[in-house]
Amino acid sequence: MGSSEVRKQPQFSSRKEGPLAGECTATTGVAGLDEVLTGLRPGDNLVWRVDSIDHYTIFAKAALKEAVACGISPVYFRFASHPSIADGIEEVSVQEVQPRLGFEHFITQIHQKIKSKGRGGLYIFDSLSELSNSIYSDRMIGNFFSLTCPLLRDLDAIAYFVLYRYFHSYHATTPIITTTQILLDVYLHRGTYFVQPIKVSDRSSATMFMLHRWDADRFVPVKESGTITEVTTATPWPGLPSASYRMIGVWDKTFMLAESVQNQFDTGAATQEQYERVFHRVLELIISREPPMRDLAARYFTLKDVIEIWKRMIGTGMIGGKSVGMLLARAILSNSDARWKGILEKHDSFFIGSDVFYTFLVQNDCWWARQQQKDPESFLKGTEAVRRRILRGRFAEYIVARFNDMLDYFGPFPIIVRSSSLLEDNFGNAFAGKYESVFCTNQGTKAERLREFMQAVRIIYASTMSPDALVYRKTRGVLDKDEQMALLVQRVSGRPYGPYYFPQIAGVGFSVNPYRWHKDIDPDAGMLRLVFGLGTRAVNRSDDDYTRVVALNAPEKHPQASMDDVRRYTQHRVDLLDLDERTLSTVDFAAATAEFDDAPAELFASRDRELERRARQMASAGEAIGSSGPGDEWTAHASYRLLTFEGLFRDTSFVSDMRSMMRTLKEAYGTHVDIEFTANFSPDGSYLINLVQCRPLQVQLGSKVLAPLPEIPPQDLIIKAYGGVVGHSRMLEIDTIIYVVPELYGVMPEQERYALARLVGKVVHSPALDGKNIILIGPGRWGTSTPSLGVPVSFAEINRVAALCEIDSMHEGLSPDLSLGTHFFNELVEMNMLYVACFTGEQRNVFNTRFLLEMPNELAKLAVNGRGFADSVRIIRSPVAEERPLLYLNVNSVEQVAALYRGD
């Protein structure tokens, strides 16, 4: 953008006396230009369009010198690679900001400085066009200006911005032109400067918008057509701004260049160096700026891969962690062994860029409210109002047009819209279950399908303001990090069965098994949490149903000891999409499989011959259920089948493939991973696995071997549990027990159960327990969304505890659920919590309720309003005096035994 022309030095007029920000007149520092514009006014933002930064610098320096002469300390925001605009003017306050640290960091630093300076003043900005070199798209440059210009105007400040002419698409130029008060085109032709005002708000003159020649200290209107056309056509013209299809932005230009380099490289016309340069450039544009993930992507992606991603993008920006994880895992597997290309189901996903999210916030007046959530002291204030505004928000017309095109591509086929934020599924932060994912049945008219899809997008955008997500960000220390929300839109794997649509199996997998319920289990072999139907049942902790936990080196071994337990703790209900009702539904297993006759059902469900025998005995002679021979139809005995998946393990290579998959991914990531997947089988037994998610697993390993438990007097033993232990072995001194009395909780109305859950959260976060080792003991499932099955706390409410224990003693039929692989469990692993399930019916287990009920209840001392719950919520503090016993938790995950007891 440089210029080799010899320029005439203009003569600057002397400063006029009068008030500017109190004492001087608002001025450009060039008297003749002031006359053209009929003077500057407090709050004016001036945007200069130039061919070279030098053509801007000469005007910016004039303004800086005039401000200094008036006793004002101007501010210069320095962020570009071009020469400094303030060289030689020592009185200027130079503020260096780093665009590459992310949009939120960049704009926050600038806005904080502007607000700290107060009213008035002069601000000079580097070239906004060079933000394109820091992965900012035209849309984000437009967003930056739309947010910054009004702030400066409200503070009566004068500000200078600059753009390179014909460099940007309408995504940048339209919001800038719309928002600024003054827009000026600057030309340098044959050594003479020319200026043409394009926009000057709230003022005009007969000659204001003409081309002006800078002649000594005057700006003279140019009236000769020959001179005008000679000056304005010296720069190649792309066409009218309304012809936006010709005005390709920097973002698309970069990818078009990448595609050109790829084609040249394929034919030998481009060098490896040229290939590498453009490859790493586009990686930073849409994959990641974070070194661990960016470097991993550079090892397994090719330039062709990234170009293909670009072609499936809606909007600009990054595609986010979930999208990157899915694509990267597929690339790792395909590069490791060609056979994976025949096993993995192809994907045809679309990616909604992170810039679409920010633009949506800006255009729906949600940006400033969202920024308030960065303050750790007040980050939860006002969140509900912002969420409501997001849920009512409107999308830009050009985005809606692209949504329509995408829906035309998918046709009336179910899709899922998944969160894929910049921090999500990355090294260090999983955000498991913190943001929404929404199924769209995608049925009905085109307008209905579009309406359903756009609401799904709004729901996910609004989830960025949920208390759970914000508390997680605060806990992980990333409240101030650049957290943009991209989206992954996927075709739902599966097929219709009558009115229902679902994959045959789905689940989650860990490359390490943290739950060793049998001595034959190898933790390093990994584990699966497997379900029939949609994977929602595998990742959510909702109702009283169960899933199949699979040790990949011993898949035939059940965590349950007896056949009665297997029957009781198997999956009975199926999550699926009801295409008639257009909703996500849950139905009984038999109903879901009513039209399942063309699928290899025997892979998933085993005949429960004992149950068949009992049913046959109960049936009257006229109601015989028929033969139970091998030729029976699937539908005839669906009620007498158990989802054990034994045929899957025995008759296919699915388990060995999943074990190989996770081993390969673990080796590539250099850390343990967890995945989400679906699989569908043909009648001949062949299958395709759809790998929909992969992320680093934030698990702490290295369980040390503990000494055997000492002999504990019965009166000192509070809990002893065999089996159901998750977490690496350790000994903890317990400071506080929070015990929810099962018998009292079990008879509470539902509303009181929710109130009790909120109370538990307040107790956990009370200042008196800050930094203490807390164990929660309660009935059923901590964190369930169904109060009849446990205490419905959110993880954010209990994220300070060291251990939690689930007791199966609230009512008959209630059992703890080892929720391996659920979002709740992922958070438990991330926070390094211990989990203990105590099955009171197990003969070896001990649950000493007498101790828990007889020790003093210190609920009232914790400065929380526990009125009405003094009997049902008991707070037991570990004594600290030497003459009184301490509390210990001893967990041995290898031996699968845990003990909570009093000791000396």
Side-chain angles (χ1 to χ4, degrees), residues 238-308:
L240 292 170
S242 58
S244 58
Y245 58 89
R246 299 175 185 161
M247 304 288 286
I248 300 172
V250 179
W251 176 274
D252 287 320
K253 287 177 184 175
T254 301
F255 279 96
M256 292 169 70
L257 171 63
E259 193 168 24
S260 175
V261 169
Q262 177 68 66
N263 293 334
Q264 294 174 35
F265 185 75
D266 290 341
T267 61
T271 65
Q272 183 70 34
E273 182 181 357
Q274 290 173 314
Y275 176 96
E276 293 292 335
R277 186 185 307 118
V278 72
F279 174 55
H280 288 285
R281 169 72 176 137
V282 295
L283 272 183
E284 286 200 331
L285 280 177
I286 63 176
I287 300 300
S288 180
R289 293 188 300 267
E290 299 297 324
M293 192 59 73
R294 185 189 62 214
D295 295 346
L296 194 59
R299 284 171 54 196
Y300 292 100
F301 284 153
T302 66
L303 182 55
K304 285 182 180 178
D305 293 330
V306 183
I307 291 170
E308 285 303 311

Side-chain angles (χ1 to χ4, degrees), residues 537-584:
R537 188 149 292 262
V539 298
N540 294 332
R541 234 184 180 221
S542 54
D543 59 22
D544 60 348
D545 210 5
Y546 298 86
T547 61
R548 179 69 159 93
V549 177
V550 185
L552 285 178
N553 76 304
E556 74 285 353
K557 295 192 180 298
H558 288 264
Q560 294 80 25
S562 68
M563 187 59 196
D564 280 342
D565 285 341
V566 170
R567 184 179 297 112
R568 181 180 177 185
Y569 299 134
T570 193
Q571 179 185 354
H572 298 96
R573 286 186 289 280
V574 179
D575 284 355
L576 43 73
L577 296 177
D578 187 324
L579 301 182
D580 288 346
E581 297 296 326
R582 303 180 190 178
T583 186
L584 174 66

